[in-house]
Amino acid sequence: MHFSPDRPTFFVNPDYRPMAGAAKPVVDPATLETVGAIAAASDGEIDAALTAATRAQAAWKKLDAKSRAKHLHAVANALEAADFTRCAELMVREMGKPYPEAIGEIANCAPIFRYYAEMARDDAGKVAGTTQAGSFQYARYEPYGVSVHIMPYNFPILLMCWTVAASLAAGNACVIKPAEATTLSTLDYMTVFRSLPEGLVSCLPGGAATAQALITSDRTHAVAFTGSVAAGKVVAVACAERMKPCVIEAGGSDPLIISQHAPLDVAAAGSVTAAFHLTGQVCTSAERFFVVDSVHDRFVELFAEKTRALRIGNGMDKTEIGPLVSEAARAKVMRLVDDAVRNGAKAVTGGRIPPAHNTGWFYEPTILTGITPDMAIVREECFGPVAAICRVKDFDEAIKLANDSPFGLGASVFTSDLAEAHEAAERLEAGMVWVNNPLIDNDALPFGGWKASGLGRELGRQGLDAFRRSKMVIIDHRPAIQDWWYPYPDSWFRETGGRKHV
């Protein structure tokens, strides 16, 4: 069966299968037109995917590292050879991101499979210094079994590949639960896994109930989740109740500091992308700005000038700012902005629905000044195109206010002072710190947050270790009776009133 956006399907490698559940329309957030249809996986469909995954993983885990790497390189080859125009267009129409970002996201996926293909070949155990002569003592690493991947809508393909590539490299089978808002593009993408063994990768559409069924199943053994803090906590608790390992990337409200030593032209340009990339719907978007007093006015002037140049519109047109993913998402942004303005903030740009875009869930990129640390927009994750600027007296106050948050995903700084750069890297309470270049990542470096922003790490060696468990192995190649084994010699005891004590 071929994939069609108009017909609800699920995927168990290498096949698309029709779904029995009631169809639900997928609506374009820019035009409110129907894009296609999806359904939630039934118990039988979940069972079919897990049965196939269990069978496939039993053979996959036995493959040698070189063979497993060859399979992952084949996925990368398929990615580089495929035409993903339809997949990218579906992503634009499902969730609104500009087409260059959709196609660019997909283009960035092949390297992660190549990285973990080679990481899998470097899977040597760690040999420890022996605690006993004649004993070979080491650690080996083995897969968990079947991993569950619960994906967000903002980067539905890239973030899926981060954890799926690592899990496959570790020897697991993977079951993907896509975000409801980006199910169609995720399903369309599944063809790249057809070179892998039958049943090794599956994609099961659905909502929270589908995710819960996969997490609580006795036939799944590890979970990767990206989404809101509230949902992340629910996932973490469900996993903890079953002693099931999980990686949780739960978003945040990232700070961005503008030092008195910042190169303001660079800082203003970088801040536009940091705050408004993907209409601010990025977990690591800069939401809370702390600008040192001496450069505050000039920075705001430059930042506003560059922000006003951004084009708002349908992601299939020439635009940087598409719609928010849903009416509820825009309503939250509007609530936080309106609350800040009522409490004394000023909208330098935006703060409204663009007059030319009454249809769809559009909102102008917004810069707020006069922000105070007690405002709701500072305490909550906004997840929209809003930069909330707080004026601070110096770099030290900026660091302290940046850390005054329940979140700790990423943090950005613009400065040309090397001492400030190092101090920021040391003092900022976040899993990632960017100096003069926000938002970038590296396949070889761990990605994840502190505090409420998550548990565990994706990417790098830690990203691989998240999907495998260690085993200590002790081998005495010359079997011998050890002197500490039972029974103890009498000389080890001391006499006390007719009783012997060790």
Side-chain angles (χ1 to χ4, degrees), residues 103-376:
I103 199 71
E105 173 182 342
I106 298 168
N108 281 327
C109 292
I112 192 67
F113 284 95
R114 298 209 188 279
Y115 174 79
Y116 279 119
E118 295 310 310
M119 183 71 76
R121 294 184 63 193
D122 186 30
D123 199 20
K126 180 175 175 58
V127 179
T130 186
T131 61
Q132 187 174 284
S135 183
F136 179 44
Q137 304 177 354
Y138 67 100
R140 58 176 288 129
Y141 302 93
E142 300 180 6
Y144 283 108
V146 177
S147 58
V148 177
H149 303 258
I150 302 169
M151 294 292 101
Y153 66 80
N154 54 353
F155 295 97
I157 305 299
L158 182 64
L159 298 189
M160 174 188 70
C161 290
W162 281 9
T163 58
V164 166
S167 186
L168 291 171
N172 301 289
C174 298
V175 179
I176 298 153
K177 206 296 289 181
E180 289 186 279
T182 45
T183 294
L184 299 179
S185 53
T186 305
L187 281 168
D188 187 79
Y189 183 84
M190 289 294 111
T191 56
V192 302
F193 296 116
R194 281 179 163 162
S195 62
L196 294 175
E198 181 179 341
L200 193 64
V201 175
S202 299
C203 183
L204 288 170
T210 303
Q212 182 181 30
L214 291 171
I215 293 167
T216 58
S217 172
D218 291 337
R219 290 187 288 169
T220 66
H221 311 94
V223 176
F225 168 86
T226 300
S228 70
V229 171
K233 288 179 178 179
V234 172
V235 171
V237 168
C239 289
E241 288 177 343
R242 293 157 183 82
M243 299 296 282
K244 191 173 291 189
C246 59
V247 178
I248 306 289
E249 200 268 87
S253 178
D254 281 10
L256 188 151
I257 295 172
I258 305 294
S259 157
Q260 65 176 335
H261 303 295
L264 292 183
D265 286 343
V266 175
S271 294
V272 169
T273 296
F276 305 130
H277 182 62
L278 194 55
T279 318
Q281 299 171 115
V282 182
C283 296
T284 51
S285 286
E287 297 190 2
R288 299 177 296 130
F289 282 65
F290 301 98
V291 183
V292 172
D293 180 71
S294 61
V295 297
H296 177 278
D297 293 351
R298 179 58 178 157
F299 169 75
V300 170
E301 181 184 354
L302 291 171
F303 187 21
E305 178 185 327
K306 293 181 182 298
T307 297
R308 292 188 185 102
L310 298 177
R311 293 163 290 188
I312 302 171
N314 191 317
M316 295 304 297
D317 301 328
K318 293 179 179 179
T319 182
E320 289 83 28
I321 306 296
L324 286 139
V325 71
S326 67
E327 183 178 14
R330 186 176 71 175
K332 180 182 180 181
V333 172
M334 292 171 66
R335 170 178 65 81
L336 292 172
V337 170
D338 292 347
D339 174 79
V341 172
R342 277 196 306 271
N343 285 283
K346 176 186 175 183
V348 178
T349 67
R352 62 176 187 170
I353 296 170
H357 298 281
N358 289 322
T359 301
W361 313 125
F362 293 94
Y363 196 75
E364 291 185 353
T366 299
I367 298 172
L368 299 175
T369 56
I371 294 295
T372 56
D374 59 331
M375 289 181 178

Side-chain angles (χ1 to χ4, degrees), residues 479-497:
I481 296 174
Q482 303 298 321
D483 61 6
W484 58 272
W485 292 358
Y486 284 179
Y488 296 141
D490 287 348
S491 61
W492 283 22
F493 293 84
R494 60 186 176 89
E495 298 290 338
T496 306

